[in-house]
Amino acid sequence: MNLKSLVERSFTIDPRALIVFRCSIALLVLCDVVMRFPDAAALYSDDGSLSVALLKSQILRPHEWSLYFLNGSGHWSRFLLMLTGLCAMTLMTGYRARLFTLLCWVLLISIQVRNPLVLDGGDDYLRLLLFWSLFLPAEQQKQMSVPGSCLLLQVVSIYFFCALLKLNIPEWRP
């Protein structure tokens, strides 16, 4: 087996796997919305724990933006969360997948920028998975693509570097 065929075999994604991936990402976004919804007013409105004025003056960098900045009410934050959930459900069906991936990505960025104090690494990872999903091939045949390869390398690198990190912790060594 030559190097070219090894690379092609390693980085070619089956379209069925892409469908499962798209549905899984949509389900993760939907679960994220469901978990955030009960605390929408407390976490994502001006009446809650972090006002937009304080956020912009103390935490955000100048280039960061959010749809939540358009209105500081709890009703607006619940509306945007419901819109995110609706986009995720539509993405799960596969209807106009690229458009609804983009909408989910923009709405997820808006959620995350609105209150960065309640985020963790999983939120960053979900945002990156949605980003790479924007560029995945939509054809119905197996093919190798740069975005697909980057997505696969991202997953591998997370596991690889987590394993390296744990090698330095005595409790993780046999």
Side-chain angles (χ1 to χ4, degrees), residues 62-87:
H63 67 278
E64 293 180 306
W65 56 272
S66 173
L67 294 172
Y68 289 78
F69 296 166
L70 298 175
N71 187 320
S73 73
H75 295 299
W76 179 248
S77 63
R78 284 188 283 276
F79 168 75
L80 286 176
L81 283 170
M82 286 190 292
L83 182 61
T84 306
L86 181 63
C87 288

Side-chain angles (χ1 to χ4, degrees), residues 78-129:
R78 284 188 283 276
F79 168 75
L80 286 176
L81 283 170
M82 286 190 292
L83 182 61
T84 306
L86 181 63
C87 288
M89 287 188 282
T90 307
L91 175 60
M92 200 178 305
T93 67
Y95 175 74
R96 308 235 4 206
R98 213 172 289 274
L99 170 65
F100 283 96
T101 301
L102 176 65
L103 291 173
C104 284
W105 182 65
V106 168
L107 289 162
L108 189 69
I109 287 172
S110 290
I111 292 169
Q112 293 178 356
V113 167
R114 176 57 183 92
N115 194 343
L117 303 177
V118 295
L119 302 180
D120 62 22
D123 294 300
D124 294 334
Y125 189 49
L126 180 57
R127 187 177 63 246
L128 287 171
L129 289 174

Side-chain angles (χ1 to χ4, degrees), residues 39-51 54 72-74 114-115:
D39 300 317
L43 296 176
Y44 307 109
S45 75
D46 285 342
D47 298 330
S49 60
L50 185 62
S51 70
L54 179 64
S73 73
R114 176 57 183 92
N115 194 343

